Amino acid sequence: MDLTDHARRNQALWNANAEGDHALADRNWAAEEISWGIWNVPEAPLSSLPEVDGRDVVELGCGTGYVSAWLARRGARPIGVDLSENQLATAARKQAEYGLAFPLIHASAEDVPLPDDCADVVVSEYGASLWCDPDRWLAESARLLRPGGRLWFLTNSLLIALTTPDEGAAGDRLLRDQRGLREVTFPDEDGVEFHLAHGDWIATLGRHGFSVDALHELYAPEGAQQTKYEWVTPEWAQRWPHEEIWVATWRS
């Protein structure tokens, strides 16, 4: 694969992280109900997902494949795409364990080896939506979708990007400029994240033929406990949104 510099860095990061993701894969593959993000916010009251029953779905940055598994159980025909061969190996093991088969493709979400107009829905939960260049992966999403197709993605909130220091948890002070926000790196991590202000997300989606249908801002539920993700506390995430779900329609 002809990868960008940030893609090579993120591939190495997620190959290295794969061993530590087994517990998350075990929990989410076993889950009957869909929930999102680090505090497992239930999908049911949000109703954020487009209809997937009988639909062709491509997941960009599928990791261990649990989102595609959730959708397959609801009648979708998913294809999982991920740059990390180690994450895909876990996905393949879980498929065998649960007897649930769908294609897994080792590729970047910035250059997907699938034909045009092959999907009704494209999804990304903390995959392409966080780790890929927005113009590149949204261009691929538009190419893959049929006219009227739906895009769904979850990523960190804008406020998380603006208030998280180089070390430690997000606080109540702005630490980064919102103007020009795009690539974000941290000294203790080799990966490259991509964050946009809301206006820039809307403009970028529009350049690629998408119209925004919804933006869901997620908060930690009452009684939430600290997770392994030390960059945000439940107290912070009960005051401000820590994650965002965007839903859009491709108009061409």
Side-chain angles (χ1 to χ4, degrees):
M1 290 179 283
D2 184 16
L3 299 178
T4 58
D5 178 66
H6 65 261
R8 284 192 296 272
R9 292 173 63 179
N10 289 337
Q11 181 184 45
L13 173 69
W14 285 102
N15 274 332
N17 286 347
E19 188 69 25
D21 286 341
H22 288 173
L24 178 65
D26 290 344
R27 184 193 73 197
N28 284 341
W29 270 83
E32 293 294 329
E33 300 300 322
I34 297 175
S35 61
W36 303 122
I38 63 176
W39 276 292
N40 305 307
V41 176
E43 162 63 15
L46 291 174
S47 297
S48 70
L49 272 173
E51 178 59 53
V52 298
D53 187 15
R55 308 299 206 272
D56 295 312
V57 180
V58 176
E59 183 183 2
L60 297 180
C62 68
T64 60
Y66 59 82
V67 172
S68 286
W70 287 341
L71 302 185
R73 292 167 183 159
R74 286 156 177 80
R77 296 182 293 270
I79 298 174
V81 179
D82 203 275
L83 189 54
S84 166
E85 58 269 34
N86 292 355
Q87 296 281 339
L88 289 177
T90 301
R93 287 195 297 271
K94 301 309 290 185
Q95 285 185 329
E97 179 181 343
Y98 283 87
L100 186 62
F102 49 85
L104 298 171
I105 297 177
H106 182 214
S108 170
E110 298 177 353
D111 186 13
V112 182
L114 288 171
D116 297 356
D117 303 327
C118 67
D120 302 299
V121 181
V122 169
V123 301
S124 178
E125 189 221 26
Y126 273 137
S129 56
L130 180 61
W131 301 101
C132 292
D133 180 278
D135 278 297
R136 289 174 178 264
W137 80 266
L138 288 177
E140 281 295 84
S141 298
R143 183 184 67 79
L144 296 170
L145 283 168
R146 299 171 181 129
R150 308 294 299 283
L151 172 68
W152 180 104
F153 64 93
L154 178 149
T155 188
N156 291 133
S157 72
L158 174 60
L159 279 174
I160 280 287
L162 296 177
T163 61
T164 302
D166 285 345
E167 296 182 4
D172 60 359
R173 297 291 185 271
L174 298 175
L175 303 177
R176 291 183 179 84
D177 294 343
Q178 179 170 315
R179 186 176 188 177
L181 184 69
R182 194 172 180 89
E183 292 190 25
V184 176
T185 58
F186 295 91
D188 62 346
E189 188 172 283
D190 293 330
V192 180
E193 300 179 5
F194 290 87
H195 298 276
L196 298 182
H198 290 164
D200 291 330
W201 269 124
I202 293 169
T204 304
L205 285 160
R207 282 199 303 275
H208 295 286
F210 290 97
S211 59
V212 176
D213 300 318
L215 168 60
H216 303 270
E217 295 176 308
L218 305 189
Y219 295 82
E222 292 298 323
Q225 301 298 308
Q226 181 64 48
T227 70
K228 69 176 183 178
Y229 304 106
E230 296 179 352
W231 43 266
V232 62
T233 66
E235 292 78 17
W236 191 99
Q238 287 167 351
R239 298 180 65 192
W240 299 291
H242 63 289
E243 292 163 327
E244 301 173 351
I245 293 173
W246 291 78
V247 188
T249 299
W250 190 62
R251 306 295 186 188
S252 77

